[in-house]
Each structure stands twice: as structure tokens, then as C-alpha cells.
Amino acid sequence: MHLAPRTLRGSVAAVIALLATAVGCAPQPEEKAATTPSGSDGTSCAKGELDTHTAGKLTVATDEPAYEPWFKDDKPANGKGFESAVAYAVARQLGYDRNAVVWQSVPFNKAFAPGAKTFDFDINQVSISAERKKAVDFSSGYYDVRQAVIALKGTKAAKATGTADLADLKLGAQVGTTSLDYINDVVRPKREAAVYAKNDQAKSALKNGQVDAIVVDLPTAFYITAAEITNAEIVGQFENQGGAPEQFGLVLDKGSGLTPCVTQAVDALRKDGTLARIETQWLSEAVDAPVLK
């Protein structure tokens, strides 16, 4: 029996549709992955042509006041101090000269809080942690750091040789810092730690006898005892907790397209010895201190 022309056309169309479906579902040849300079997200790291907050500029944030030895004379833009020098070195690596760097003031705790950022990266002694990575991105570490205890000379706190000796004392640190984490998680003092919005407040509390000792990072401890509270001394430094050292990282917006580029820049500066040279220049006084066990 012959099919009517309309029926035949319908049958042919159905077969073509089935063949098309079969081809679509069949395994397809793999295409060669595109090569990008910045890794999996395809972000271009072309020097000086990054998708920055302000076109043609690199916006860098830090806290105010900006403390030594990280910044000199409370002027982040002058290129003096460890973190100012690092920021400009990263900028050069990314293709931005000094005139293209714009500085912005952002409170320490706000830098790594959830929410959109107004900067390209923040540099402010922010330790890389899994908890903070939930809200922001980090570059690779630009400085390996330890935390240290400062107390006034001749006090009970100044005689401490281990964490057990600190447990009965009133300790203080800046809010949101690894310094505060070390008090709570390593020392575990019997008295609740005093928490301050700024390091300046913690230093004042120490001078006024409101706390027995404060905890800061080791380079800051050397500067405080040498130039700010000369009747204070470094009691000792804590051992790093866990296998990897604590590191400061540059803070970026969560999911920032700049993260792989900034990380590449930091890694290059570590590899070619630039970070080590900057550390020697600005943090040479942060030598060994007794380890508190």
C-alpha cells in the first residue's frame, strides 16, 4: 500500500529529527582548552589593562592610622614601610606605575567583612584564614608572621615563659585579628580578653595598666617597644599553630577577577627575591624573640 505524499513527508521528517537527536547526544570531539594567563576563570592579566575599580588606576586600601613598620609617617602613599613598598611592587608587577595607584582608607575589620568592595585590593596585615575566605578572596601570602606578647617591664606578665604563665592575666588585642585568636585559642585565659577597635586603644590600655599584656604581630611588637612604649618589652612569640605558617595576604572582593592576577604578581615577587629584599629593608629589627610554649 502506498503512503500518501503528506504521510511520507511526515515520516521522513521524523527520521531526520531522530538522527539529529542522536548526533546531538553522541559524544563530541574534545576541543583544545583555551590558554589564558590567569588560570581557569579566563581573566586577562595584560599589564596595565586589568578590569580595575577605576579604569587605568589601581585602588589600594589600608586602615587609618597606618602603623609602622608597615607604613612610615602614617602616609601609605609615600612608598615607605614594608606594606607600602609591597603594594607598589605588586602594582608594578601588574603594570601600574606609582602615579596610577590610588590609596583609600578602609577600617581593618571592614576590609574582610562580607559585601562589595570599593578597592582592588587591601593590604593591612590581614592573616589568611578559611573563615575569612568565606567572605573575601586572598592573594597568596606576602609575609610569614608570628604573634607576640608585650608587657610592661618588671611586671608579672613580663616574666612569663610559656602560655600557662599567661592564663591568669588580663590580655588584650585588636578586634578581628589573629592576635585575638591566639589569646582565645592558644592561651585560653581564665579572664575574658579585652577587645579594642584599634591597636592604639590596646597600647593605651597597656600603658594605663588596664591590661597586663597585649598581643600583636612580631614586627609591630618590636616597633611598639622601641619607639612607642619604651618601658615595655617583648615577652615572647607564639609558635605557629598547625603545619602551614600564618601569612598575611592581600584582600580582594569575593570572586574578584583580579585575584589570579594579583596572586601571580605576589608569587613572582617572592620568587625573584623582591619580597625578601623589602622585608630586610623595613623589618630587619623583627629578629628572633623567645618562643612561648
Side-chain angles (χ1 to χ4, degrees), residues 234-280:
I234 297 173
V235 179
Q237 61 177 311
F238 292 107
E239 292 182 300
N240 280 321
Q241 303 301 299
E246 178 188 350
Q247 292 184 315
F248 292 157
L250 305 178
V251 181
L252 299 96
D253 205 355
K254 186 68 176 174
S256 171
L258 298 180
T259 302
C261 303
V262 174
T263 290
Q264 285 181 14
V266 173
D267 290 345
L269 294 172
R270 185 179 287 275
K271 185 176 181 180
D272 69 12
T274 299
L275 290 181
R277 288 192 294 272
I278 295 173
E279 183 175 336
T280 298

Side-chain angles (χ1 to χ4, degrees), residues 196-258:
Y196 302 97
K198 300 276 187 181
N199 258 340
D200 273 348
Q201 296 170 346
K203 290 182 287 187
S204 294
L206 178 63
K207 287 190 288 187
N208 296 333
Q210 294 168 302
V211 293
D212 298 307
I214 59 174
V215 178
V216 296
D217 57 79
L218 186 57
T220 298
F222 274 95
Y223 179 75
I224 290 173
T225 54
E228 296 184 313
I229 311 177
T230 54
N231 63 330
E233 63 181 289
I234 297 173
V235 179
Q237 61 177 311
F238 292 107
E239 292 182 300
N240 280 321
Q241 303 301 299
E246 178 188 350
Q247 292 184 315
F248 292 157
L250 305 178
V251 181
L252 299 96
D253 205 355
K254 186 68 176 174
S256 171
L258 298 180

Side-chain angles (χ1 to χ4, degrees), residues 112-114 126-141 247 249-255 259 263:
F112 50 86
V126 182
S127 296
I128 301 169
S129 73
E131 184 64 27
R132 289 172 179 170
K133 282 184 177 181
K134 294 176 183 178
V136 294
D137 282 358
F138 281 97
S139 70
S140 52
Q247 292 184 315
L250 305 178
V251 181
L252 299 96
D253 205 355
K254 186 68 176 174
T259 302
T263 290

Side-chain angles (χ1 to χ4, degrees), residues 33-258:
T35 301
T36 61
S38 57
S40 60
D41 67 355
T43 301
S44 171
C45 291
K47 290 202 170 188
E49 299 178 9
L50 305 181
D51 185 16
T52 54
H53 190 266
T54 300
K57 302 288 185 180
L58 189 69
T59 303
V60 181
T62 195
D63 201 356
E64 185 180 3
Y67 301 107
E68 297 191 29
W70 311 106
F71 300 93
K72 187 78 171 173
D73 301 324
D74 193 19
K75 296 177 180 178
N78 64 13
K80 299 177 180 180
F82 178 76
E83 290 193 326
S84 182
V86 168
Y88 282 117
V90 170
R92 285 192 299 272
Q93 194 70 28
L94 294 172
Y96 295 88
D97 63 24
R98 185 164 177 154
N99 293 331
V101 177
V102 178
W103 286 89
Q104 184 181 100
S105 175
V106 173
F108 177 82
N109 226 24
K110 190 175 179 180
F112 50 86
K117 306 306 178 191
T118 57
F119 51 77
D120 294 312
F121 68 75
D122 179 280
I123 182 166
N124 190 23
Q125 308 113 63
V126 182
S127 296
I128 301 169
S129 73
E131 184 64 27
R132 289 172 179 170
K133 282 184 177 181
K134 294 176 183 178
V136 294
D137 282 358
F138 281 97
S139 70
S140 52
Y142 63 86
Y143 178 68
D144 298 349
V145 67
R146 287 201 175 189
Q147 299 297 318
V149 179
I150 300 174
L152 297 181
K153 295 176 181 178
T155 62
K156 178 182 177 182
K159 297 179 175 64
T161 58
T163 54
D165 299 326
L166 301 171
D168 290 326
L169 305 178
K170 182 68 173 179
L171 305 176
Q174 185 177 352
V175 64
T177 59
T178 308
S179 304
L180 182 59
D181 291 339
Y182 268 73
I183 293 175
N184 293 328
D185 301 336
V186 178
V187 178
R188 297 177 183 177
K190 297 174 183 177
R191 302 165 66 185
E192 186 176 357
V195 182
Y196 302 97
K198 300 276 187 181
N199 258 340
D200 273 348
Q201 296 170 346
K203 290 182 287 187
S204 294
L206 178 63
K207 287 190 288 187
N208 296 333
Q210 294 168 302
V211 293
D212 298 307
I214 59 174
V215 178
V216 296
D217 57 79
L218 186 57
T220 298
F222 274 95
Y223 179 75
I224 290 173
T225 54
E228 296 184 313
I229 311 177
T230 54
N231 63 330
E233 63 181 289
I234 297 173
V235 179
Q237 61 177 311
F238 292 107
E239 292 182 300
N240 280 321
Q241 303 301 299
E246 178 188 350
Q247 292 184 315
F248 292 157
L250 305 178
V251 181
L252 299 96
D253 205 355
K254 186 68 176 174
S256 171
L258 298 180

